[in-house]
Amino acid sequence: MKAYKKIIGTAFVAVCLIIVIVTFIKVKGINSSDKLVLQLAHNQSAGSEIADSIAKVSDFAAKESGDEVNIKIFASGVLGTEKEEIEMVKAGIIDMAKVSSNTLGQFDDRYAIFAIPYLFKNQEHYYNAMENSEAVKELFADTADEGYIAVGYYANGARNFYLKDDVPVTDTSVLSGKKIRSMPSSTSMDMIEKMGGTPVPMAASETYASLQQGVVDGAENTELALTVDGHEDLVKSYTYTEHQFSPDIFIISTKTWNKMSEKQRQSLIKALEETNDNFKSLYNGMMEDAIEHAESKGVHVYKDIDKTPFIEAVQPIHANFYNKGEAYKKLYDDIQKYAD
């Protein structure tokens, strides 16, 4: 009997020892590994210049965090449309997404400011305001209760008109009667109407077939969008109206943000800033290459036009936003402070 009790006692001690060891290993593993893996979704085509630029955020995040922050990127819209990506970020299903400010405007109307044509006077004003405006920073942080915040922007370039006809877009009469692909944004649709055209809202992925089939007579986007999506094979003119500088926005789930350490947060923000700086340093050269390619395909490029007719035509859009309320007025005024 004593021997039996001794065996039971020894077995009990052994089991307890194993439990202690396993628990220690698990706890030690948790405490010693602060690595955070974040999923980032976007809708740029994998392998494109923009997608390759965004991919660098993984390297920058690892470097800034001492390899504590790892970012896994899902490109080409494999997780859904931008609207669906935002919904997933809000729900905490995925951690991050890079989406257009126009799509974010469907969730918070203040983001519609970035769709206002000629909000920014030029590229310098655009960069200066996006990086320094306190009101923009407040907007980025103000949606935490909605399940997400913005933690950075991506410097999408100036949007310009391109048509199947070889004609420069110099005033509202040129677009009169023409169906123009529009982003599914009320501000963008209003802009095209004010500038003389008939907006046809659709996803960017539908534009090629719509141009090919005559559903639309033209579109408006950056030089790179013109060539990456193959539109240069279908259009004859590209005019530098430079009517919008619409940034893309990096958003992160509030759930994810709240569980991150301050070091991880700052590492992520710094990595996004470096990604943006890297893209900006390459941007002008990339656009020049895109235009050269478009010209080699027979696209006639019109630069240095007088934008005054369009600037005057869209002023009601500025007034409508400005008069929505104090929060809208404050955001608009603060952005304008960075024009000089």
Side-chain angles (χ1 to χ4, degrees):
M1 188 67 175
K2 288 182 180 181
Y4 177 77
K5 288 182 178 181
K6 185 176 180 180
I7 292 172
I8 293 296
T10 302
F12 177 78
V13 170
V15 169
C16 289
L17 183 59
I18 291 171
I19 292 173
V20 169
I21 292 172
V22 170
T23 301
F24 173 78
I25 291 173
K26 286 184 177 180
V27 170
K28 188 176 187 303
I30 291 171
N31 292 337
S32 63
S33 178
D34 295 323
K35 191 165 188 175
L36 178 70
V37 179
L38 303 176
Q39 306 112 342
L40 168 62
H42 68 79
N43 287 61
Q44 300 294 333
S45 300
S48 67
E49 291 94 334
I50 296 178
D52 289 345
S53 176
I54 297 168
K56 294 183 183 299
V57 73
S58 294
D59 295 332
F60 291 139
K63 180 190 72 174
E64 291 296 332
S65 67
D67 208 31
E68 284 186 19
V69 178
N70 180 266
I71 298 179
K72 185 175 182 180
I73 297 177
F74 297 86
S76 304
V78 295
L79 298 185
T81 64
E82 286 195 341
K83 187 174 182 180
E84 290 167 339
E85 289 168 352
I86 294 171
E87 294 283 11
M88 287 189 284
V89 169
K90 290 180 63 174
I93 297 171
I94 60 175
D95 300 300
M96 298 180 65
K98 183 200 74 71
V99 297
S100 72
S101 53
N102 289 283
T103 307
L104 268 181
Q106 299 176 41
F107 292 82
D108 188 312
D109 192 45
R110 290 172 296 175
Y111 276 98
I113 192 170
F114 300 120
I116 294 177
Y118 300 107
L119 171 71
F120 300 105
K121 305 298 185 290
N122 48 42
Q123 188 180 75
E124 184 180 6
H125 178 201
Y126 171 46
Y127 290 166
N128 196 18
M130 291 303 300
E131 289 159 17
N132 297 296
S133 167
E134 289 300 322
V136 169
K137 293 175 184 177
E138 289 174 12
L139 171 62
F140 280 10
D142 202 33
T143 54
D145 291 342
E146 301 299 319
Y148 71 97
I149 60 171
V151 285
Y153 86 102
Y154 191 77
N156 236 340
R159 299 177 74 92
N160 306 290
F161 280 98
Y162 49 98
L163 302 175
K164 294 173 73 173
D165 293 337
D166 186 3
V167 55
V169 181
T170 53
D171 58 61
T172 56
S173 65
V174 177
L175 295 179
S176 179
K178 287 186 168 54
K179 301 185 293 293
I180 305 297
R181 180 263 167 177
S182 168
M183 291 181 285
S185 152
S186 59
T187 305
S188 293
M189 293 171 66
D190 191 18
M191 173 195 73
I192 290 173
E193 287 182 346
K194 294 287 192 299
M195 295 177 76
T198 300
V200 181
M202 65 180 67
S205 59
E206 300 172 9
T207 309
Y208 185 94
S210 295
L211 285 166
Q212 189 177 46
Q213 297 166 13
V215 175
V216 295
D217 304 302
E220 49 84 39
N221 214 321
T222 67
E223 301 94 324
L224 203 58
L226 171 72
T227 56
V228 167
D229 294 331
H231 300 169
E232 77 276 18
D233 294 328
L234 304 172
V235 302
K236 296 298 183 183
S237 67
Y238 190 88
T239 305
Y240 275 82
T241 49
E242 296 179 310
H243 51 270
Q244 280 180 330
F245 287 89
S246 297
D248 285 351
I249 309 292
F250 287 102
I251 62 171
I252 188 168
S253 168
T254 305
K255 292 179 181 179
T256 300
W257 186 253
N258 288 343
K259 73 180 182 182
M260 293 171 67
S261 68
E262 187 60 26
K263 178 185 176 183
Q264 290 169 338
R265 290 176 178 178
Q266 293 306 314
S267 296
L268 175 62
I269 290 172
K270 181 63 175 175
L272 294 175
E273 289 174 349
E274 289 186 80
T275 302
N276 200 24
D277 288 343
N278 177 72
F279 180 70
K280 287 192 296 183
S281 69
L282 300 173
Y283 177 78
N284 290 334
M286 291 166 62
M287 297 307 107
E288 289 173 6
D289 290 343
I291 281 298
E292 287 182 9
H293 176 71
E295 288 178 315
S296 73
K297 293 284 188 174
V299 178
H300 195 164
V301 177
Y302 297 94
K303 296 184 177 181
D304 301 319
I305 67 161
D306 180 10
K307 304 180 183 71
T308 304
F310 293 128
I311 293 173
E312 292 176 348
V314 301
Q315 286 311 299
I317 299 177
H318 289 244
N320 287 341
F321 185 91
Y322 195 81
N323 294 326
K324 281 184 176 181
E326 190 60 35
Y328 298 83
K329 178 181 177 181
K330 176 183 177 181
L331 183 58
Y332 184 95
D333 284 342
D334 200 58
I335 285 175
Q336 295 308 312
K337 284 166 38 179
Y338 294 90
D340 299 326

